[in-house]
Amino acid sequence: MLDYTRLEAIVRQAGCLAMAHWPGHGHTPQRWDKSPDNPVSEADLAVDTFLKQELGALLPSAGWLSEETADHPDRLDRSLCWVVDPIDGTRDFLRGRSGWCVSVALVSAGRVLIGVLDAPARNEFWIATAGLGAHRNRIALHASTRTELPGARVPADSLPRIDHDLTMVDKPNSIALRIAMVGADEADLLATLRWGYEWDIAAACLIAREAGAAVSDAFGAAFDFNKRDPRAFGLLVTAPAIHGLAVARLAERAARLA
């Protein structure tokens, strides 16, 4: 049995550790680029180290997959695996903006059992357990019930001309928070057409799904997590009634870009 109280405390502590480095509170963490246009900071590494130690102590049998830790294949032999992004939305974090979070998921047999997001700069704590619903700040979440694609709310800074019938809403840098927005009925549609990593989406996908949203890759297929190659092409999180319409609209673009 997992100690849920301890899990929540660990993730909240990780959020506090990130806040202790956050430029939005006047701090100036050391930063560098892991690759071109791929920033990281000392805060990412500090939170990663903390979570690896504490989650490892909480559930010693679980494997570990994190953006900031070198991948080790022994996770594939474990029945459980933590899938972690210590700071999702690093660009917003480093700009002193609030659109970032700590993302923690527990995966078994390719499926997410528990998903947790802590967004302390936004005073938001999200959690979902498979089969038991999703909550933000202990309030149950219910996804959008939109039935038409035109006018759907999308977290975006801009839209292609072909999608100008959609409606832009606020876009945090964190993809996890954008996914969760659909579960919170603050958006109707979130779509990406690029290669991404499991640690970016695992926790938030469970939150959205448990709130009633439809969740898939860009082609409409379900996700498997803790794969040997922890990448997936595209992401589509929507109000259930418009998921098929969104898959159809994106099909040609997804096939071209995959």
Side-chain angles (χ1 to χ4, degrees):
M1 296 293 291
L2 185 67
D3 185 339
Y4 282 81
T5 300
R6 179 60 186 147
L7 173 60
E8 179 174 336
I10 290 169
V11 180
R12 287 186 182 274
Q13 284 177 267
C16 289
L17 179 57
M19 288 290 279
H21 293 81
W22 184 44
H25 276 180
H27 304 290
T28 309
Q30 292 184 346
R31 58 167 293 173
W32 57 95
D33 284 342
K34 293 186 289 186
S35 58
D37 197 34
N38 186 15
V40 67
S41 77
E42 61 180 328
D44 297 81
L45 301 188
V47 173
D48 187 69
T49 298
F50 172 80
L51 286 172
K52 192 172 192 298
Q53 174 181 317
E54 296 299 323
L55 294 175
L58 179 66
L59 201 59
S61 63
W64 180 260
L65 176 63
S66 167
E67 179 172 12
E68 306 303 343
T69 305
D71 192 12
H72 197 287
D74 70 354
R75 65 180 172 81
L76 300 171
D77 300 324
R78 307 291 185 97
S79 60
L80 296 166
C81 185
W82 294 110
V83 180
V84 171
D85 193 341
I87 298 180
D88 184 59
T90 296
R91 289 180 180 82
D92 267 11
F93 179 88
L94 291 172
R95 293 168 182 151
R97 299 175 183 172
S98 64
W100 58 273
C101 66
V102 177
S103 176
V104 173
L106 182 63
V107 172
S108 175
R111 298 292 178 261
V112 184
L113 300 180
I114 302 167
V116 186
L117 304 177
D118 186 32
R122 300 161 68 98
N123 295 311
E124 294 177 350
F125 189 85
W126 310 67
I127 187 166
T129 302
L132 297 178
H135 296 77
R136 177 176 57 184
N137 296 345
R138 308 196 187 285
I139 297 172
L141 299 175
H142 302 284
S144 165
T145 57
R146 187 173 189 86
T147 59
E148 296 181 350
L149 195 54
R153 297 164 294 169
V154 182
D157 296 321
S158 63
L159 291 170
R161 181 174 298 179
I162 193 174
D163 296 321
H164 275 188
D165 60 338
L166 306 178
T167 301
M168 291 188 293
V169 295
D170 180 59
K171 176 194 169 187
N173 182 232
S174 164
I175 186 67
L177 288 176
R178 281 179 267 156
I179 294 167
M181 287 173 67
V182 182
D185 195 12
E186 294 170 355
D188 306 300
L189 167 66
L190 183 281
T192 67
L193 294 175
R194 57 178 173 78
W195 287 96
Y197 288 91
E198 293 181 16
W199 49 71
D200 295 317
I201 66 171
C205 281
L206 180 66
I207 290 167
R209 193 174 74 240
E210 284 295 318
V215 178
S216 73
D217 68 15
F219 300 100
F223 286 109
D224 282 322
F225 293 97
N226 194 30
K227 304 187 306 298
R228 182 174 297 278
D229 179 355
R231 298 180 302 162
F233 180 78
L235 170 69
L236 190 57
V237 183
T238 75
I242 65 172
H243 188 257
L245 297 171
V247 170
R249 177 178 288 204
L250 294 172
E252 183 179 341
R253 282 177 272 178
R256 186 171 64 249
L257 294 170

